[in-house]
């Protein structure tokens, strides 16, 4: 990658979803004024638990050199048709896809991968390229899915959870400003329970708790809103678990972005995490941002 500006990196593997991801990433790159770098590497196959899996990996490595040029050309042609003026580079590094993407992430603005979903089985047993990349990348990772091939005028949804949301808010505001679309900031307030679930329900000031949630949401988002005064932002406090609070706000949106606490690959794969639930259930592209300190 020789461009001075940080590129958007998109990984391709010859699949239809990868070409869709590349086309979508190209639209985002054009609006951000960033170059696009398309990369193809040896497929990430997880841990080799069996000799058969090791043989598959060996065959993939052998076939890489034959397939790389064709796969990269196909993706680049699709991108040029969609964004003819965009600066595009390609590469086929010798290392595995997870290693290549980790290396490229240190120079990238974001990484985009075609990903229909991430199942609990793949997350816990063999892992996935998406989860592996999220856990190790030095930049935000967007798992593209759905049928949106170019940015639209629909809102971007961002999950807000205290300081863990800073990198997610940074990306969300940056994209909302570049795409000139509204931003929906969603905070989960799953602590609210019915009177039958508490010992002395009348001593709990639910209105005060509600007001506290709204103040926390406003205080977290406020500094970013001041930096991007042209972004039209709406606030939502949902009385549900974080993943459900976000999923119920996706109707009519084009992208959802969340932060992750960055506890590592294993913790990131635990069933029930907000990121994993969104990766598994969201019909829209999902952006996952690790804390800057990571």
């Amino acid at each position: 990658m020789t461009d001075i500006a940080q590129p958007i990196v998109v990984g391709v593997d010859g699949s239809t979803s990868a070409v869709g991801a590349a086309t979508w990433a190209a639209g985002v790159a054009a609006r951000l004024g960033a170059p696009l770098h398309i990369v193809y590497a040896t497929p990430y196959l997880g841990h080799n638990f069996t000799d058969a899996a090791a043989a598959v990996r060996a065959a993939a490595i052998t076939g890489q050199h034959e397939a790389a040029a064709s796969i990269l050309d196909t993706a680049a042609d699709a991108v040029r048709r969609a964004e003819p003026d965009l600066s595009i580079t390609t590469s086929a590094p010798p290392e595995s896809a997870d290693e290549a993407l980790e290396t490229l992430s240190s120079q990238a603005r974001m990484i985009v991968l075609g990903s229909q979903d991430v199942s609990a089985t793949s997350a816990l047993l063999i892992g996935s390229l998406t989860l592996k990349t999220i856990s190790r990348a030095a930049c935000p990772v967007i798992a593209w899915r759905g049928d949106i091939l170019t940015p639209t005028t629909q809102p971007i949804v961002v999950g807000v959870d205290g300081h863990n949301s800073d990198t997610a808010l940074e990306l969300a505001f940056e994209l909302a400003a570049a795409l000139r679309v509204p931003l929906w900031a969603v905070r989960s307030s799953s602590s609210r329970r019915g009177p039958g679930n508490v010992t002395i329900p009348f001593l709990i000031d639910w209105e005060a708790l509600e007001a506290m949630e709204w103040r926390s949401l406003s205080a977290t988002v406020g500094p970013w809103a001041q930096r991007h005064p042209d972004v039209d932002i709406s606030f939502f406090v949902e009385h549900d678990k974080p993943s459900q609070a976000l999923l119920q706000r996706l109707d009519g949106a084009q992208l959802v972005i969340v932060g992750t606490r960055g506890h590592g690959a294993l913790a990131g794969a635990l069933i029930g995490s907000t990121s994993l639930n969104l990766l598994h259930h969201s019909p829209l592209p999902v952006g996952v941002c690790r804390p800057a300190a990571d």
Side-chain angles (χ1 to χ4, degrees):
M1 298 185 295
T2 58
D3 295 88
I4 297 176
Q6 285 183 301
I8 290 178
V9 172
V10 58
V12 296
D13 59 5
S15 65
T16 302
S17 65
V19 175
T23 305
W24 180 86
V28 174
R31 286 154 181 79
L32 287 172
L36 184 74
H37 184 72
I38 307 172
V39 59
Y40 171 79
T42 304
Y44 172 70
L45 302 177
H47 302 290
N48 293 331
F49 290 118
T50 66
D51 291 340
V56 170
R57 182 175 180 81
I61 294 173
T62 300
Q64 177 194 13
H65 297 295
E66 299 176 1
S70 176
I71 290 173
L72 289 170
D73 286 346
T74 298
D77 288 344
V79 166
R80 290 190 182 98
R81 287 194 296 271
E83 299 291 344
D85 298 325
L86 185 65
S87 173
I88 304 169
T89 55
T90 63
S91 69
E95 61 263 42
S96 64
D98 59 312
E99 294 172 341
L101 290 170
E102 181 182 3
T103 299
L104 291 171
S105 72
S106 64
Q107 308 172 50
R109 200 160 185 168
M110 70 185 74
I111 290 175
V112 179
L113 298 172
S115 174
Q116 291 307 310
D117 65 15
V118 177
S119 70
T121 301
S122 69
L124 290 173
L125 295 181
I126 62 173
S128 73
L129 177 59
T130 302
L131 289 177
K132 189 77 169 179
T133 304
I134 289 171
S135 70
R136 297 169 63 178
C139 66
V141 177
I142 295 180
W144 179 88
R145 75 277 304 283
D147 55 6
I148 300 176
L149 295 178
T150 187
T152 70
T153 58
Q154 296 167 293
I156 292 172
V157 176
V158 59
V160 181
D161 178 20
H163 294 299
N164 293 316
S165 308
D166 281 348
T167 53
L169 285 167
E170 179 179 15
L171 177 63
F173 270 97
E174 178 185 30
L175 290 178
L179 303 182
R180 299 180 180 179
V181 299
L183 182 63
W184 293 351
V186 180
R187 180 176 175 83
S188 165
S189 176
S190 57
S191 60
R192 185 162 189 169
R193 297 177 294 179
N197 294 329
V198 295
T199 305
I200 312 177
F202 299 106
L203 296 183
I204 297 178
D205 189 340
W206 293 115
E207 291 185 0
L209 289 176
E210 179 91 359
M212 182 179 68
E213 296 288 357
W214 281 101
R215 286 196 300 270
S216 179
L217 176 58
S218 179
T220 303
V221 178
W224 299 99
Q226 291 178 1
R227 300 177 196 177
H228 300 275
D230 294 334
V231 173
D232 179 13
I233 182 166
S234 299
F235 297 91
F236 301 92
V237 173
E238 303 289 353
H239 303 297
D240 212 331
K241 295 180 179 179
S243 57
Q244 291 302 315
L246 290 164
L247 287 169
Q248 66 186 6
R249 283 290 168 191
L250 298 188
D251 187 27
Q254 64 172 313
L255 169 68
V256 57
I257 300 173
V258 292
T260 180
R261 290 179 173 85
H263 293 312
L266 180 59
L270 291 177
I271 297 175
S273 72
T274 301
S275 299
L276 183 58
N277 272 313
L278 286 172
L279 289 167
H280 186 55
H281 295 293
S282 172
L284 307 175
V286 178
V288 181
C289 306
R290 290 171 57 193
D294 277 8

